[in-house]
Amino acid sequence: MTVPRSDSARELAAKRAQRAPTSMFLRMLVRAAILRRGRAASALFAMVVAAAVATAMLNLYVDVQAKLQREFRNYGANIVLVGKDGTSLPAGTLERVDSALAGRGVAAPFGMIVASTGDGQPIVVAGTDFDRVRQLDRWWSVSSWPTEVPSSRAEDAREMGHPVLVGVRALAAVAPRNQTFDLSFHGRPLRVAPAGTVQTGAAEDSRIYISLADFVAWTGVQPSTIEVAASGSPEEVSAVMNRLAQAVPAAEVRPVRQIMEGEARVLGKTRSTLLAAAVLIILTSALCVLSTLMGWVFDRRRDFAIMKALGASGRLLNGFFAAEAAALGAAGALLGFLVGIGLAAWIGRANFHAPVAPRFSVLPVVLAGSIIVTLLAAIVPISLLRRVQPAVILRGE
């Protein structure tokens, strides 16, 4: 007498029947890697190297542009606003420029006149905002920046001299002993005291810089130039220029071509170098994987011949080999991603003195790319696998 099996027993038997091929497939994959550790390790190492380089390059590709742009901002303005026909800019221009920048840059106003020293020598005097210039022109070599004199001490400043920044060439002519001296503009005198010197190797070395408030109060002249260091890609800087032209129609907006063209050229070459290095190393790793998989097929011809003799179809063998290659690519991608994050951080510290933040959005790209590379490398070995003749191989021919 047969006892009918319960529904739960039948379901359990069905699940076991479904799991059997899958577990067998996984065991075969693991066993193939264990028995041929040397070839598996060499192929895995190649994929780890490729994934690590791809991860580092992609992380740097995203961060390097921002970091290089920050470095270029240390070299001064990339946009200049000048009053049309040499006139002064309207009141409130600086506020409109700040609004157009929207926090993505810094602007510094400059007003310039030709004044006279106590012995009648002409000298260029520029009025500016020292706090803004310190942010804009970090490349200036300044011994000490002047500090703003409070309004409560305005009378003392008239007697002791308004603090100014003097160019190194001008200093020898106007204050060789670093003493206070007098300037005159249209008959209006002003006593100034050198607070520090500036050296740039350019026209700034022959000028005297005074705070913009003192400059306007003394001369009655408003700024005629605003220098702007706008951050962003060349396209974003061009968009900023368009916004500035619309916000300040009384000004002529000009790019500082040496800075903008140099920045675009360096960024373009850096990106091209990163991509070229990544492609070259990935192709080299793909060739290494290809040679490893080719050797893998030759080493396992007898195994595949037995599988064919036992009834395995060509599609099954191809799928099994492709699964081995894909598993190799996935394992190499995960290990290489971790190595690549560390490599990118080290490059960022060594070259930009700033960490490169790990971007986990790169992981799917690296994972998919590694699997695709290994599958492409498996195409030729799979074509050789199709030619395996069980009778010939098993006879030892």
Side-chain angles (χ1 to χ4, degrees):
M1 177 178 174
T2 357
V3 180
R5 300 173 69 182
S6 65
D7 293 341
S8 59
R10 281 196 297 269
E11 290 176 3
L12 182 60
K15 288 179 180 178
R16 285 179 178 174
Q18 290 174 357
R19 280 202 304 266
T22 304
S23 61
M24 176 63 72
F25 191 74
L26 293 176
R27 283 200 300 270
M28 290 173 65
L29 286 177
V30 174
R31 185 174 176 79
I34 293 174
L35 292 179
R36 291 164 179 82
R37 290 189 296 272
R39 290 194 182 275
S42 62
L44 180 62
F45 178 75
M47 289 313 304
V48 168
V49 171
V53 171
T55 300
M57 294 301 111
L58 288 174
N59 273 272
L60 290 172
Y61 184 83
V62 175
D63 275 16
V64 74
Q65 183 167 333
K67 284 180 167 47
L68 283 176
Q69 285 166 357
R70 279 199 298 272
E71 290 293 326
F72 270 102
R73 293 293 70 77
N74 294 331
Y75 293 98
N78 52 4
I79 302 173
V80 176
L81 281 79
V82 182
K84 292 181 178 178
D85 300 324
T87 58
S88 298
L89 295 170
T93 299
L94 186 59
E95 289 74 14
R96 290 199 291 272
V97 170
D98 287 338
S99 176
L101 288 174
R104 301 198 57 179
V106 60
F110 291 90
M112 291 191 187
I113 60 160
V114 178
S116 300
T117 62
D119 55 2
Q121 293 183 5
I123 193 164
V124 176
V125 179
T128 189
D129 185 318
F130 289 121
D131 290 336
R132 289 175 177 264
V133 173
R134 289 180 72 170
Q135 299 177 55
L136 178 73
D137 294 313
R138 298 178 185 176
W139 59 279
W140 282 13
S141 177
V142 177
S143 61
S144 178
W145 288 92
T147 55
E148 191 73 26
V149 177
S151 56
S152 59
R153 297 184 54 195
E155 192 62 34
D156 295 339
R158 292 192 191 98
E159 294 296 328
M160 300 177 61
H162 295 269
V164 295
L165 188 65
V166 186
V168 290
R169 288 202 299 267
L171 185 67
V174 297
R177 295 185 301 278
N178 211 35
Q179 76 277 17
T180 61
F181 59 95
D182 294 322
L183 295 172
S184 175
F185 178 71
H186 290 177
R188 293 191 287 268
L190 182 72
R191 173 155 289 190
V192 297
T197 59
V198 56
Q199 183 174 13
T200 66
E204 291 83 5
D205 293 359
S206 302
R207 295 174 184 169
I208 297 173
Y209 288 87
I210 187 172
S211 74
L212 188 60
D214 292 340
F215 178 84
V216 173
W218 172 43
T219 64
V221 176
Q222 294 294 329
S224 58
T225 303
I226 295 180
E227 294 184 1
V228 178
S231 58
S233 64
E235 294 75 19
E236 290 171 333
V237 174
S238 298
V240 169
M241 290 179 60
N242 293 332
R243 291 200 301 270
L244 290 173
Q246 294 173 1
V248 191
E252 183 180 348
V253 182
R254 305 172 184 168
V256 181
R257 298 202 177 275
Q258 294 90 336
I259 296 292
M260 292 188 66
E261 291 176 1
E263 182 176 350
R265 187 163 53 248
V266 169
L267 287 175
K269 288 184 177 180
T270 303
R271 287 196 296 263
S272 300
T273 302
L274 290 176
L275 290 178
V279 170
L280 182 61
I281 293 175
I282 289 171
L283 288 177
T284 304
S285 301
L287 290 176
C288 180
V289 173
L290 172 61
S291 64
T292 301
L293 294 180
M294 293 275 288
W296 213 336
V297 168
F298 282 112
D299 288 349
R300 299 167 63 193
R301 285 180 299 172
R302 182 172 293 274
D303 296 343
F304 291 127
I306 293 173
M307 292 172 68
K308 275 192 173 183
L310 293 175
S313 64
R315 179 179 295 180
L316 177 62
L317 292 179
N318 294 343
F320 176 73
F321 194 80
E324 286 183 338
L328 184 68
L334 295 176
L335 293 174
F337 179 76
L338 298 176
V339 176
I341 286 177
L343 181 62
W346 177 78
I347 293 175
R349 284 287 184 189
N351 291 277
F352 303 105
H353 308 290
V356 175
R359 299 180 180 272
F360 292 96
S361 58
V362 171
L363 178 57
V365 178
V366 174
L367 184 61
S370 298
I371 293 174
I372 290 172
V373 166
T374 51
L375 289 177
L376 290 176
I379 291 176
V380 176
I382 285 175
S383 67
L384 294 176
L385 188 60
R386 291 175 183 169
R387 301 175 189 173
V388 171
Q389 299 296 327
V392 175
I393 299 298
L394 293 177
R395 282 202 306 265
E397 297 178 7

